[in-house]
Amino acid sequence: MPQVTPPHPPAPAFAVVGHPNKGKSSLVATLARDDSVRISPEPGTTVKARHFPMRLERDGRTLYTLIDTPGFQRARAALDWMREHETDAASRPAAVARFVREHRGTDRFTDECELLGPLVEGAAILYVVDGAHPYGPEYDAEMEVLRWTGRPSMAVINPIGAATYADSWRDALGQFFKVVRVVDAVHAPFEQQINLLRAFAQLDEAWRPMLEEAVAALLEERSHKQRAAAKVIAELLADAVTWQEVQDIDQEADPEPHKVKLRERYRGHLRQMEREAREAVQELYQHDKLDRHEPDIEVLSDDLFSSQTWRLFGLKKRDLLAIGVAGGALMGGAIDAAMLGASFLTGTAIGAVAGGAAAYFGSDKLADVKLVMYGHLGRRELKIGPMRNVQFPFVLLNRAALHQRVIAARTHAQRDRLELGRAALEAGELNALTTEQRRAFGRLFAKVQKTTPGSPARLALVAELAEQVEAIIVP
Amino acid sequence: MPDAAPTPTLADLGLLVAAIDHDQQRPVAQRELDDKAFHAANPTPAADDLATLRRWAAHRAGAHHALGELARRAAAAEALMRVLSLALGLAVGVLLALGVFYYDGSARINVLAVLAVFVFLPLALLLLVGVAMLPMRVAEALPGVGPLAELLRGLSVGRVVRGVMHLLPQSWRDSLAWSRGAAGKHAQLYAEVEKWSLLTASQAFASALSFAAIITLLLLVVFSDLAFGWSTTLDISPARFHELTQGLALPWSWTARATPSLELVESSRYFRLATNEATPEDARALGGWWGFVVMSMVVYGLLPRLVVWYICHARQRAAIRAALLTTPGAPAVLRRLSRAAIHTASPEAELGAHDTPGAELSRSSIADADAVIIWADAPRPSSGSPHPLAAGGSRTIAEDRAVLASLGQRDPRPSVALYVKAWEPPMLELLDFLRDLRQTIGQGAAITVVPTGDASAEQHNAWHRKLTTLSDPWLSVAARAEP
């Protein structure tokens, strides 16, 4: 018999409940990607149930709702009250409903009413415990109260710090809950969040279509963000390798002090570009409330032009040789093309050797200020950039890719500084481009340098660059 | 909503810049409402970024009267500029043709002059257009070509058309100035757009001119008698001139009617001094040149122009497309619109907890407590009271009361040490118990709460802070044993 489903079945709601201070709010902040959730080591920070609907912009439909609730405070007393008012096992949900009705507005069971209210209204239970500490008998009363509600339920073991007691918890929770999962509420990677949503569907078959739709929407949004971030980075790279700073000076003026200032302005502008790209990426991942001034990643807050940065994020000398060869060959190839091949590809060969040598020996040189005679009304022009240094775009790329990775992996429950091991970076684990990728980037950087901002050619190259960047930032 | 016409126009660019400007001046909350309205009106995503941006700009123009009005006028101004280019070209073409093909029977129309005006001059000008079309980077690299290209762009007919637009009513001029101003604001980004717009306008003009000249000639051929000849001071033999015409007629050599024969070439040379009376037969033969003249004008005047016009138009479109996508603020709008696809945050505000802190608690020692209570099976100290009491956890509230009752019977009232799990937060249930305990043992007797087990300093502090809310002067919390 074909199943008839209503056009808009009510969206499932999941009330995140449990003992105080076990990461309920963290889990909600992570899943709902909401920085406004107050998370604090102080117990009882959440005082009101708060709804987090997952809503699609395109049709305004809500696919599911998460509800953050305060923790149990007087579970035993509440259970005692319910026992007194129950007549038989079938009337237990009614006893819970009556409990909420009679105590709402009084100050005896404020938190219990807040957390049981959504369950009485039909929400499913998402019970959160701390896997770093052992199970204790004080949890029995609250689990019993939850059982009395008769709502579909699932338990999440949140390993705050370490999941030392996950197994003993699993045994205890298994008696009360159909589904038990270990999820780090603060650091859960995206895939784990998706798996948790899929697990919700196990609670009630009728919820599956909506939750599947939610999962699909989130996955789609994820890849969209990755594409958008790749584009931001590609635009940064293209703009940075073509940036020029120009200044007119008097014929008689001493150029030296102007040169110093111009060099500083040029570097300042490149730093600014990098900062703006980071802000754009943070905004994409809804982390725009992160400290705006500097990303709190130790290695990323190093200055763009410090030797430390270049050592960490730059390429090795032998890698540079390959890039230079590729870039040089490109230029030589253009000569060959111009001579309609009459040069028998000698242009390519000479270009490759020259490019390789230039990259190898000039890898430490930054752009310098040039004085251009300009012969116009007795003025001269000082010009700096664009940066021809082969290392430079790679340093930028590696920094941007690392920043994107950290931001993409950061949940909204993380309120601490972003930490990143310098050791891992020094070991080269974080900016490991394959030889082909390095060559492809080298070639694209060389091509981009020949374009002007806003030109169709530039647009096409930025799109190509973005594809390459996406390939390295998608895990 | 279906997407706007697939070809982005200059008016689109102007509208987008104005919409972004307008958008950036709006408060964030207002912008969110705008985005919401946009998503409601456009439930299906656009094909690409460009389509999204144009939809968005069109939506903003629809929502804001001033923007919409500006966009309409800019589109009309753009259309007018196109029409003016063509009209000007047509008019000049007709006048030029009437001049060149002027024939009152007194002197023949010199084919050489016609070729000079409608074939060689346009070809030479086309060469200059080619220079102006060079990418700036290439033009600058070739010595002397850079300034020439710039000069040529400066002399473009497109500018003349813009000059003519200044004769329009004020409101039109305003909207034109607006779209020019929008372009001027990001001059570097729009340099390509500017270049190809001017070139497109000038090629439209030139194509219209060629077309009008050809049509005028055809009309003259149909409705009057024209006599062509060729005349030059140079010492060119009819055979040489025939070779030249044969060469020119190569592309249409398949039709003999448009290729002058050697006889026609020989017979149609004239010298003004030698006035010879022509017979009607001669006149008919001299008219035989028209096919050649028309084909020359089509093949060397009109067709190359149409091709270059098409190329310029295509490049203009590509440049506008690129400018639309790279307009400052556009990437941010795109990111914002795509980010709003899913909402997960709470629409409700978070309410804060409010504990009223009481007096500071002392951190006392527990060595001299008379009674020990273990709360919820907290880890038990190895030394200390051999008979601790148990409360909380799996025990019922009635059992807790029994513990309190047993303490109430002791005389003197005992001091109590209450062991709790340090890693668990202090709950109201425990605070209730402490209040009851105080009532049982009376004022003055010491109660020491001892958080035990593995816990962080933060968790210990939480105990300390929570218990101060009881404002019990004889209540203390044991200091955390240093790990």
Side-chain angles (χ1 to χ4, degrees), chain B residues 184-211:
Chain B
K185 192 172 152 194
H186 310 298
Q188 202 201 354
L189 275 180
Y190 300 150
E192 287 273 302
V193 175
E194 178 86 357
K195 167 182 163 183
W196 293 110
S197 299
L198 288 176
L199 282 172
T200 304
S202 60
Q203 295 320 295
F205 167 84
S207 303
L209 187 152
S210 269
F211 178 75

PDB file of all heavy atoms in Angstrom, chain B residues 184-211:
ATOM      1  N   GLY B 184      33.504  55.714 -13.623  1.00  0.00           N
ATOM      2  CA  GLY B 184      34.671  56.501 -13.273  1.00  0.00           C
ATOM      3  C   GLY B 184      35.202  56.198 -11.889  1.00  0.00           C
ATOM      4  O   GLY B 184      36.389  56.257 -11.640  1.00  0.00           O
ATOM      5  N   LYS B 185      34.290  55.790 -10.998  1.00  0.00           N
ATOM      6  CA  LYS B 185      34.665  55.544  -9.616  1.00  0.00           C
ATOM      7  C   LYS B 185      35.693  54.419  -9.510  1.00  0.00           C
ATOM      8  O   LYS B 185      36.548  54.423  -8.643  1.00  0.00           O
ATOM      9  CB  LYS B 185      33.400  55.166  -8.848  1.00  0.00           C
ATOM     10  CG  LYS B 185      33.560  55.165  -7.358  1.00  0.00           C
ATOM     11  CD  LYS B 185      32.210  54.984  -6.711  1.00  0.00           C
ATOM     12  CE  LYS B 185      32.362  54.316  -5.366  1.00  0.00           C
ATOM     13  NZ  LYS B 185      31.113  53.833  -4.852  1.00  0.00           N
ATOM     14  N   HIS B 186      35.548  53.430 -10.377  1.00  0.00           N
ATOM     15  CA  HIS B 186      36.502  52.323 -10.359  1.00  0.00           C
ATOM     16  C   HIS B 186      37.208  52.284 -11.706  1.00  0.00           C
ATOM     17  O   HIS B 186      37.222  51.268 -12.385  1.00  0.00           O
ATOM     18  CB  HIS B 186      35.790  51.015 -10.104  1.00  0.00           C
ATOM     19  CG  HIS B 186      34.864  51.062  -8.928  1.00  0.00           C
ATOM     20  ND1 HIS B 186      35.307  51.312  -7.657  1.00  0.00           N
ATOM     21  CD2 HIS B 186      33.530  50.903  -8.832  1.00  0.00           C
ATOM     22  CE1 HIS B 186      34.273  51.303  -6.821  1.00  0.00           C
ATOM     23  NE2 HIS B 186      33.182  51.064  -7.504  1.00  0.00           N
ATOM     24  N   ALA B 187      37.773  53.435 -12.086  1.00  0.00           N
ATOM     25  CA  ALA B 187      38.272  53.609 -13.448  1.00  0.00           C
ATOM     26  C   ALA B 187      39.182  52.472 -13.911  1.00  0.00           C
ATOM     27  O   ALA B 187      39.080  52.010 -15.034  1.00  0.00           O
ATOM     28  CB  ALA B 187      38.995  54.934 -13.542  1.00  0.00           C
ATOM     29  N   GLN B 188      40.047  52.014 -12.984  1.00  0.00           N
ATOM     30  CA  GLN B 188      41.009  50.996 -13.412  1.00  0.00           C
ATOM     31  C   GLN B 188      40.296  49.704 -13.808  1.00  0.00           C
ATOM     32  O   GLN B 188      40.624  49.073 -14.801  1.00  0.00           O
ATOM     33  CB  GLN B 188      42.011  50.735 -12.294  1.00  0.00           C
ATOM     34  CG  GLN B 188      43.299  50.139 -12.835  1.00  0.00           C
ATOM     35  CD  GLN B 188      44.085  49.419 -11.763  1.00  0.00           C
ATOM     36  OE1 GLN B 188      43.728  49.450 -10.594  1.00  0.00           O
ATOM     37  NE2 GLN B 188      45.143  48.762 -12.152  1.00  0.00           N
ATOM     38  N   LEU B 189      39.291  49.346 -12.997  1.00  0.00           N
ATOM     39  CA  LEU B 189      38.566  48.104 -13.257  1.00  0.00           C
ATOM     40  C   LEU B 189      37.770  48.187 -14.550  1.00  0.00           C
ATOM     41  O   LEU B 189      37.577  47.201 -15.237  1.00  0.00           O
ATOM     42  CB  LEU B 189      37.605  47.815 -12.111  1.00  0.00           C
ATOM     43  CG  LEU B 189      38.174  47.095 -10.904  1.00  0.00           C
ATOM     44  CD1 LEU B 189      37.083  46.891  -9.880  1.00  0.00           C
ATOM     45  CD2 LEU B 189      38.743  45.757 -11.320  1.00  0.00           C
ATOM     46  N   TYR B 190      37.280  49.390 -14.846  1.00  0.00           N
ATOM     47  CA  TYR B 190      36.392  49.516 -15.987  1.00  0.00           C
ATOM     48  C   TYR B 190      37.103  50.000 -17.244  1.00  0.00           C
ATOM     49  O   TYR B 190      36.458  50.325 -18.225  1.00  0.00           O
ATOM     50  CB  TYR B 190      35.221  50.436 -15.648  1.00  0.00           C
ATOM     51  CG  TYR B 190      34.404  49.923 -14.496  1.00  0.00           C
ATOM     52  CD1 TYR B 190      33.733  50.763 -13.640  1.00  0.00           C
ATOM     53  CD2 TYR B 190      34.296  48.548 -14.272  1.00  0.00           C
ATOM     54  CE1 TYR B 190      32.991  50.272 -12.580  1.00  0.00           C
ATOM     55  CE2 TYR B 190      33.565  48.053 -13.221  1.00  0.00           C
ATOM     56  CZ  TYR B 190      32.914  48.918 -12.376  1.00  0.00           C
ATOM     57  OH  TYR B 190      32.183  48.430 -11.338  1.00  0.00           O
ATOM     58  N   ALA B 191      38.434  50.063 -17.218  1.00  0.00           N
ATOM     59  CA  ALA B 191      39.171  50.545 -18.383  1.00  0.00           C
ATOM     60  C   ALA B 191      38.822  49.718 -19.615  1.00  0.00           C
ATOM     61  O   ALA B 191      38.617  50.247 -20.704  1.00  0.00           O
ATOM     62  CB  ALA B 191      40.669  50.487 -18.106  1.00  0.00           C
ATOM     63  N   GLU B 192      38.736  48.405 -19.424  1.00  0.00           N
ATOM     64  CA  GLU B 192      38.419  47.516 -20.547  1.00  0.00           C
ATOM     65  C   GLU B 192      37.010  47.784 -21.068  1.00  0.00           C
ATOM     66  O   GLU B 192      36.786  47.818 -22.272  1.00  0.00           O
ATOM     67  CB  GLU B 192      38.496  46.055 -20.080  1.00  0.00           C
ATOM     68  CG  GLU B 192      39.899  45.576 -19.848  1.00  0.00           C
ATOM     69  CD  GLU B 192      40.535  45.038 -21.125  1.00  0.00           C
ATOM     70  OE1 GLU B 192      39.980  44.099 -21.712  1.00  0.00           O
ATOM     71  OE2 GLU B 192      41.562  45.587 -21.532  1.00  0.00           O
ATOM     72  N   VAL B 193      36.085  47.960 -20.140  1.00  0.00           N
ATOM     73  CA  VAL B 193      34.701  48.219 -20.539  1.00  0.00           C
ATOM     74  C   VAL B 193      34.636  49.492 -21.359  1.00  0.00           C
ATOM     75  O   VAL B 193      34.014  49.548 -22.422  1.00  0.00           O
ATOM     76  CB  VAL B 193      33.792  48.347 -19.293  1.00  0.00           C
ATOM     77  CG1 VAL B 193      32.383  48.725 -19.707  1.00  0.00           C
ATOM     78  CG2 VAL B 193      33.786  47.057 -18.505  1.00  0.00           C
ATOM     79  N   GLU B 194      35.328  50.517 -20.870  1.00  0.00           N
ATOM     80  CA  GLU B 194      35.354  51.815 -21.537  1.00  0.00           C
ATOM     81  C   GLU B 194      35.913  51.674 -22.951  1.00  0.00           C
ATOM     82  O   GLU B 194      35.338  52.131 -23.920  1.00  0.00           O
ATOM     83  CB  GLU B 194      36.229  52.767 -20.697  1.00  0.00           C
ATOM     84  CG  GLU B 194      36.411  54.138 -21.255  1.00  0.00           C
ATOM     85  CD  GLU B 194      35.282  55.074 -20.854  1.00  0.00           C
ATOM     86  OE1 GLU B 194      34.351  54.602 -20.186  1.00  0.00           O
ATOM     87  OE2 GLU B 194      35.341  56.249 -21.237  1.00  0.00           O
ATOM     88  N   LYS B 195      37.034  50.964 -23.038  1.00  0.00           N
ATOM     89  CA  LYS B 195      37.717  50.791 -24.314  1.00  0.00           C
ATOM     90  C   LYS B 195      36.795  50.095 -25.325  1.00  0.00           C
ATOM     91  O   LYS B 195      36.589  50.578 -26.433  1.00  0.00           O
ATOM     92  CB  LYS B 195      38.982  49.966 -24.090  1.00  0.00           C
ATOM     93  CG  LYS B 195      39.628  49.433 -25.344  1.00  0.00           C
ATOM     94  CD  LYS B 195      40.859  48.595 -24.976  1.00  0.00           C
ATOM     95  CE  LYS B 195      41.276  47.706 -26.148  1.00  0.00           C
ATOM     96  NZ  LYS B 195      42.412  46.853 -25.798  1.00  0.00           N
ATOM     97  N   TRP B 196      36.206  48.986 -24.916  1.00  0.00           N
ATOM     98  CA  TRP B 196      35.396  48.216 -25.869  1.00  0.00           C
ATOM     99  C   TRP B 196      34.053  48.882 -26.143  1.00  0.00           C
ATOM    100  O   TRP B 196      33.493  48.714 -27.223  1.00  0.00           O
ATOM    101  CB  TRP B 196      35.231  46.778 -25.392  1.00  0.00           C
ATOM    102  CG  TRP B 196      36.527  46.051 -25.424  1.00  0.00           C
ATOM    103  CD1 TRP B 196      37.272  45.645 -24.359  1.00  0.00           C
ATOM    104  CD2 TRP B 196      37.279  45.677 -26.589  1.00  0.00           C
ATOM    105  NE1 TRP B 196      38.436  45.057 -24.776  1.00  0.00           N
ATOM    106  CE2 TRP B 196      38.471  45.062 -26.144  1.00  0.00           C
ATOM    107  CE3 TRP B 196      37.079  45.831 -27.962  1.00  0.00           C
ATOM    108  CZ2 TRP B 196      39.445  44.590 -27.021  1.00  0.00           C
ATOM    109  CZ3 TRP B 196      38.042  45.351 -28.834  1.00  0.00           C
ATOM    110  CH2 TRP B 196      39.213  44.738 -28.360  1.00  0.00           C
ATOM    111  N   SER B 197      33.558  49.674 -25.197  1.00  0.00           N
ATOM    112  CA  SER B 197      32.309  50.384 -25.458  1.00  0.00           C
ATOM    113  C   SER B 197      32.520  51.429 -26.551  1.00  0.00           C
ATOM    114  O   SER B 197      31.722  51.538 -27.479  1.00  0.00           O
ATOM    115  CB  SER B 197      31.815  51.087 -24.204  1.00  0.00           C
ATOM    116  OG  SER B 197      31.564  50.150 -23.219  1.00  0.00           O
ATOM    117  N   LEU B 198      33.627  52.169 -26.423  1.00  0.00           N
ATOM    118  CA  LEU B 198      33.912  53.191 -27.431  1.00  0.00           C
ATOM    119  C   LEU B 198      34.152  52.547 -28.794  1.00  0.00           C
ATOM    120  O   LEU B 198      33.645  53.006 -29.822  1.00  0.00           O
ATOM    121  CB  LEU B 198      35.140  54.014 -27.016  1.00  0.00           C
ATOM    122  CG  LEU B 198      34.916  54.979 -25.856  1.00  0.00           C
ATOM    123  CD1 LEU B 198      36.218  55.653 -25.467  1.00  0.00           C
ATOM    124  CD2 LEU B 198      33.879  56.026 -26.240  1.00  0.00           C
ATOM    125  N   LEU B 199      34.912  51.454 -28.792  1.00  0.00           N
ATOM    126  CA  LEU B 199      35.197  50.786 -30.066  1.00  0.00           C
ATOM    127  C   LEU B 199      33.921  50.215 -30.685  1.00  0.00           C
ATOM    128  O   LEU B 199      33.722  50.300 -31.892  1.00  0.00           O
ATOM    129  CB  LEU B 199      36.230  49.678 -29.857  1.00  0.00           C
ATOM    130  CG  LEU B 199      37.673  50.175 -29.724  1.00  0.00           C
ATOM    131  CD1 LEU B 199      38.598  49.040 -29.330  1.00  0.00           C
ATOM    132  CD2 LEU B 199      38.144  50.791 -31.037  1.00  0.00           C
ATOM    133  N   THR B 200      33.060  49.652 -29.842  1.00  0.00           N
ATOM    134  CA  THR B 200      31.811  49.085 -30.361  1.00  0.00           C
ATOM    135  C   THR B 200      30.963  50.188 -30.988  1.00  0.00           C
ATOM    136  O   THR B 200      30.431  50.029 -32.094  1.00  0.00           O
ATOM    137  CB  THR B 200      31.016  48.405 -29.227  1.00  0.00           C
ATOM    138  OG1 THR B 200      31.861  47.438 -28.614  1.00  0.00           O
ATOM    139  CG2 THR B 200      29.775  47.712 -29.765  1.00  0.00           C
ATOM    140  N   ALA B 201      30.871  51.327 -30.286  1.00  0.00           N
ATOM    141  CA  ALA B 201      30.064  52.433 -30.803  1.00  0.00           C
ATOM    142  C   ALA B 201      30.635  52.915 -32.132  1.00  0.00           C
ATOM    143  O   ALA B 201      29.899  53.158 -33.095  1.00  0.00           O
ATOM    144  CB  ALA B 201      30.025  53.569 -29.797  1.00  0.00           C
ATOM    145  N   SER B 202      31.965  53.006 -32.225  1.00  0.00           N
ATOM    146  CA  SER B 202      32.542  53.521 -33.463  1.00  0.00           C
ATOM    147  C   SER B 202      32.367  52.512 -34.598  1.00  0.00           C
ATOM    148  O   SER B 202      32.159  52.901 -35.750  1.00  0.00           O
ATOM    149  CB  SER B 202      34.011  53.910 -33.273  1.00  0.00           C
ATOM    150  OG  SER B 202      34.738  52.786 -32.881  1.00  0.00           O
ATOM    151  N   GLN B 203      32.420  51.220 -34.275  1.00  0.00           N
ATOM    152  CA  GLN B 203      32.228  50.226 -35.338  1.00  0.00           C
ATOM    153  C   GLN B 203      30.767  50.173 -35.783  1.00  0.00           C
ATOM    154  O   GLN B 203      30.484  49.920 -36.952  1.00  0.00           O
ATOM    155  CB  GLN B 203      32.700  48.843 -34.882  1.00  0.00           C
ATOM    156  CG  GLN B 203      34.194  48.764 -34.629  1.00  0.00           C
ATOM    157  CD  GLN B 203      35.008  49.527 -35.657  1.00  0.00           C
ATOM    158  OE1 GLN B 203      35.030  49.184 -36.836  1.00  0.00           O
ATOM    159  NE2 GLN B 203      35.652  50.618 -35.240  1.00  0.00           N
ATOM    160  N   ALA B 204      29.861  50.432 -34.865  1.00  0.00           N
ATOM    161  CA  ALA B 204      28.445  50.498 -35.235  1.00  0.00           C
ATOM    162  C   ALA B 204      28.242  51.657 -36.200  1.00  0.00           C
ATOM    163  O   ALA B 204      27.585  51.519 -37.239  1.00  0.00           O
ATOM    164  CB  ALA B 204      27.585  50.679 -33.989  1.00  0.00           C
ATOM    165  N   PHE B 205      28.888  52.764 -35.874  1.00  0.00           N
ATOM    166  CA  PHE B 205      28.810  53.952 -36.728  1.00  0.00           C
ATOM    167  C   PHE B 205      29.353  53.652 -38.133  1.00  0.00           C
ATOM    168  O   PHE B 205      28.715  53.923 -39.148  1.00  0.00           O
ATOM    169  CB  PHE B 205      29.605  55.089 -36.064  1.00  0.00           C
ATOM    170  CG  PHE B 205      29.872  56.265 -36.952  1.00  0.00           C
ATOM    171  CD1 PHE B 205      28.908  57.254 -37.102  1.00  0.00           C
ATOM    172  CD2 PHE B 205      31.073  56.382 -37.648  1.00  0.00           C
ATOM    173  CE1 PHE B 205      29.146  58.343 -37.922  1.00  0.00           C
ATOM    174  CE2 PHE B 205      31.313  57.463 -38.474  1.00  0.00           C
ATOM    175  CZ  PHE B 205      30.351  58.441 -38.610  1.00  0.00           C
ATOM    176  N   ALA B 206      30.528  53.038 -38.162  1.00  0.00           N
ATOM    177  CA  ALA B 206      31.180  52.784 -39.448  1.00  0.00           C
ATOM    178  C   ALA B 206      30.374  51.780 -40.278  1.00  0.00           C
ATOM    179  O   ALA B 206      30.255  51.927 -41.498  1.00  0.00           O
ATOM    180  CB  ALA B 206      32.595  52.262 -39.206  1.00  0.00           C
ATOM    181  N   SER B 207      29.817  50.767 -39.614  1.00  0.00           N
ATOM    182  CA  SER B 207      29.023  49.773 -40.339  1.00  0.00           C
ATOM    183  C   SER B 207      27.781  50.428 -40.926  1.00  0.00           C
ATOM    184  O   SER B 207      27.422  50.166 -42.083  1.00  0.00           O
ATOM    185  CB  SER B 207      28.609  48.637 -39.402  1.00  0.00           C
ATOM    186  OG  SER B 207      29.749  48.061 -38.825  1.00  0.00           O
ATOM    187  N   ALA B 208      27.149  51.285 -40.126  1.00  0.00           N
ATOM    188  CA  ALA B 208      25.947  51.960 -40.597  1.00  0.00           C
ATOM    189  C   ALA B 208      26.277  52.855 -41.776  1.00  0.00           C
ATOM    190  O   ALA B 208      25.540  52.922 -42.758  1.00  0.00           O
ATOM    191  CB  ALA B 208      25.330  52.776 -39.467  1.00  0.00           C
ATOM    192  N   LEU B 209      27.456  53.506 -41.679  1.00  0.00           N
ATOM    193  CA  LEU B 209      27.890  54.394 -42.764  1.00  0.00           C
ATOM    194  C   LEU B 209      28.039  53.596 -44.061  1.00  0.00           C
ATOM    195  O   LEU B 209      27.512  53.960 -45.113  1.00  0.00           O
ATOM    196  CB  LEU B 209      29.215  55.045 -42.360  1.00  0.00           C
ATOM    197  CG  LEU B 209      29.777  56.145 -43.263  1.00  0.00           C
ATOM    198  CD1 LEU B 209      30.618  57.104 -42.422  1.00  0.00           C
ATOM    199  CD2 LEU B 209      30.616  55.614 -44.400  1.00  0.00           C
ATOM    200  N   SER B 210      28.742  52.476 -43.985  1.00  0.00           N
ATOM    201  CA  SER B 210      28.956  51.644 -45.162  1.00  0.00           C
ATOM    202  C   SER B 210      27.628  51.183 -45.742  1.00  0.00           C
ATOM    203  O   SER B 210      27.411  51.230 -46.961  1.00  0.00           O
ATOM    204  CB  SER B 210      29.763  50.409 -44.772  1.00  0.00           C
ATOM    205  OG  SER B 210      31.114  50.646 -44.928  1.00  0.00           O
ATOM    206  N   PHE B 211      26.781  50.724 -44.837  1.00  0.00           N
ATOM    207  CA  PHE B 211      25.495  50.181 -45.250  1.00  0.00           C
ATOM    208  C   PHE B 211      24.686  51.264 -45.970  1.00  0.00           C
ATOM    209  O   PHE B 211      24.146  51.049 -47.064  1.00  0.00           O
ATOM    210  CB  PHE B 211      24.754  49.673 -44.023  1.00  0.00           C
ATOM    211  CG  PHE B 211      23.401  49.131 -44.326  1.00  0.00           C
ATOM    212  CD1 PHE B 211      23.254  47.885 -44.932  1.00  0.00           C
ATOM    213  CD2 PHE B 211      22.253  49.854 -44.017  1.00  0.00           C
ATOM    214  CE1 PHE B 211      22.000  47.380 -45.216  1.00  0.00           C
ATOM    215  CE2 PHE B 211      21.001  49.355 -44.294  1.00  0.00           C
ATOM    216  CZ  PHE B 211      20.871  48.114 -44.897  1.00  0.00           C
TER     217      PHE B 211
END
